[in-house]
Amino acid sequence: MRARTRSALRVLFLTVMILSAAAVAQSFLQSTAGAETGTETTTATPAATPPDDATTVAEENRSAGGDATATAAPPSSGLTEVDVESRFQRAKSETLPGENWSTQRVRAASGDRGLTVVATQGFYVSGQTAELAALTPDGSVVYFNDTYRVYFDVDPVEGERYTVEYVAAKRFEGEDCEQFHSKQCTRNVVNRVNLTTGDHETVYAEMTPQVASGRWHDVDRINDTHLIVADIVEDSVFVVDTRDDSVVWEWRFDEHYSREAGGQGGDWTHVNDVEVLSDGRIMLSPRNMDEVIFLDRTDGGGYAVDENWTLGEDDDHSILYEQHNADYIPRAYGGPAVVVADSENARAVEYQRVDGEWVQSWSWRDVRLKWPRDADRLPNGNTLLVDSNGNRLVEVNADDEIVWSAAVGMPYDVERIGTGDESEGGPAARLRGRAPVEPRTQPEDGTNETATEVAIGDGTASDRTVTDQFWLALKDVTPSLVTNGILYTAPPWVLFTDLAFAALFVLVGLCWASSEFYWAGHTLRGVAAGIGRRVRTGVENVR
């Protein structure tokens, strides 16, 4: 090869590596700049102290009566993402005294969009803790709590405007875990908190063995005294009477499933969601089975899986792939339908019941969306999403345009106050854009199924640029379990695109090194032959 050609290739290799490194560095610098900006413009003040030394922080970086729709514009109009994560970091270290946000101030600052409550998991490698927080549309933090190591489900309390119940967990070691003959264990709690007063109480708590697979992800309230728990560590669901903490009912997955299905190694089903439907059925999301299942009453008074209603199939990733937080939409609002965060497929998706079968009726994704784990259909037809590895909350309208987003590190669950629990009152995709949807009067008994035909979308908007299409195609061919595993343990600012540029940097570096090796007159065959000669010479000398 001519010297000029080699020089040109060296320039090409160097250019690609510099550009790749610059792209990753830009993400880091933008994250750092956002944190600095958030610290300079945010004033955080603590409020009442909940149990276990939790900290509540009232924070206001703009006037309480600011424009609540300032960020409610589609991307083409220059949508600005609200940087909330930097305000969380300020709130964690803030010690100045102050007063709570009153209900009136919260209502004024929330505007038409309302208050958004988010539960996060934090970052394990960097040690960044998790938080439960309530946000106004402009990103002001009304409530903040970082007592627990991880937060999962959060639900509004019926009849109380600014009160929520949430699921959280803490790790314990030593004597606390002796009952499990283990060095580590977990305390799972269901707590109730008023976001404006800071009043806080523990509704139910239980110690469980293990740590990661011992954490409950979802608890659903049945009535004033009973809760239903999705128990990951025991691969079951159970109902507890909170008056005396007695378990009054339990259903175990080994009543229906073989151990050959799902996950292994102490995390078999990973049941991450439970929902009691208005007709008495129970909907469950065993993540490791790639299914959403329905338990129906049997003639003997127990419950069994209604296989005709099962959505998905173990290892059939074209339907669902390790999903989270399935929400049921009843016939009264255009269903039966299920909106679900299809996590490893990096999309939010809806399936509609049509002639006794599940048919995909809607899905959404964008370039950044990676490992979504919650998707709530709001009464106005919008969908509120959690983008865990994209470190943000996203709200998309009926035209699938982003109308609001907030930068939040590793979010797990989100609720919009005033819109009901999860997707309660939200219309199925076929009725989106006709909000507000008036509920129909047909009974919901598990047998009523709509025969309405639905359009099947590919999950992307029609106005994607060539660059967007490239990144989406790259995501489709990249093993999601691998990339999500890396992103889960990576620093908060790392996104999928950063992984791609880092991989390109390494690949081009290896190609450059190999080329230089070859140009120097070396080949793998020649090197192997040389090593062989040296070995033979050494053996002969020994002899």
Side-chain angles (χ1 to χ4, degrees), residues 347-482:
R347 64 178 182 171
V349 65
E350 177 189 292
Y351 286 92
Q352 176 93 36
R353 264 318 248 198
V354 179
D355 294 330
E357 302 289 340
W358 290 109
V359 178
Q360 183 183 320
S361 51
W362 170 84
S363 67
W364 185 88
R365 62 176 182 165
D366 68 356
V367 171
R368 183 171 166 181
L369 188 66
K370 194 67 177 167
W371 209 30
R373 291 196 290 171
D374 189 26
D376 294 352
R377 181 64 48 73
L378 305 179
N380 64 1
N382 290 4
T383 307
L384 184 61
L385 305 168
V386 159
D387 185 4
S388 290
N389 276 336
N391 298 321
R392 62 174 177 164
L393 308 176
V394 183
E395 183 180 347
V396 298
N397 62 17
D399 295 322
D400 291 337
E401 299 171 324
I402 296 177
V403 295
W404 180 79
S405 66
V408 177
M410 192 59 71
Y412 180 82
D413 193 32
V414 65
E415 281 289 337
R416 179 65 52 75
I417 298 298
T419 63
D421 185 11
E422 298 174 339
S423 295
E424 180 181 312
R430 64 193 187 93
L431 298 184
R432 291 172 78 211
R434 306 181 196 175
V437 174
E438 294 295 331
R440 303 176 183 180
T441 58
Q442 295 96 328
E444 187 74 35
D445 59 6
T447 59
N448 292 321
E449 300 180 14
T450 177
T452 303
E453 294 184 0
V454 295
I456 303 175
D458 64 358
T460 57
S462 59
D463 59 349
R464 301 297 185 195
T465 65
V466 174
T467 302
D468 289 344
Q469 292 174 6
F470 166 79
W471 284 114
L472 289 170
L474 183 61
K475 288 172 66 175
D476 288 338
V477 300
T478 304
S480 61
L481 285 176
V482 174

Side-chain angles (χ1 to χ4, degrees), residues 180-191:
F180 304 115
H181 305 288
S182 173
K183 294 182 179 180
Q184 297 181 333
C185 57
T186 298
R187 183 174 187 257
N188 294 286
V189 299
V190 180
N191 287 342

Side-chain angles (χ1 to χ4, degrees), residues 174-210:
E175 296 180 357
D176 295 306
C177 305
E178 288 182 353
Q179 59 181 309
F180 304 115
H181 305 288
S182 173
K183 294 182 179 180
Q184 297 181 333
C185 57
T186 298
R187 183 174 187 257
N188 294 286
V189 299
V190 180
N191 287 342
R192 177 178 291 197
V193 61
N194 184 294
L195 302 172
T196 59
T197 66
D199 292 342
H200 201 279
E201 66 173 314
T202 297
V203 177
Y204 179 66
E206 182 180 326
M207 297 291 290
T208 61
Q210 306 179 41

Side-chain angles (χ1 to χ4, degrees), residues 483-519:
T483 56
N484 278 329
I486 296 173
L487 289 170
Y488 186 71
T489 57
W493 56 269
V494 178
L495 300 176
F496 173 77
T497 50
D498 298 314
L499 294 185
F501 282 120
L504 179 62
F505 181 91
V506 172
L507 180 62
V508 172
L510 291 174
C511 289
W512 190 356
S514 300
S515 299
E516 294 289 356
F517 187 79
Y518 176 78
W519 294 335

Side-chain angles (χ1 to χ4, degrees), residues 43-59:
T43 302
T45 53
T49 302
D52 298 325
D53 296 326
T55 301
T56 311
V57 177
E59 172 184 345

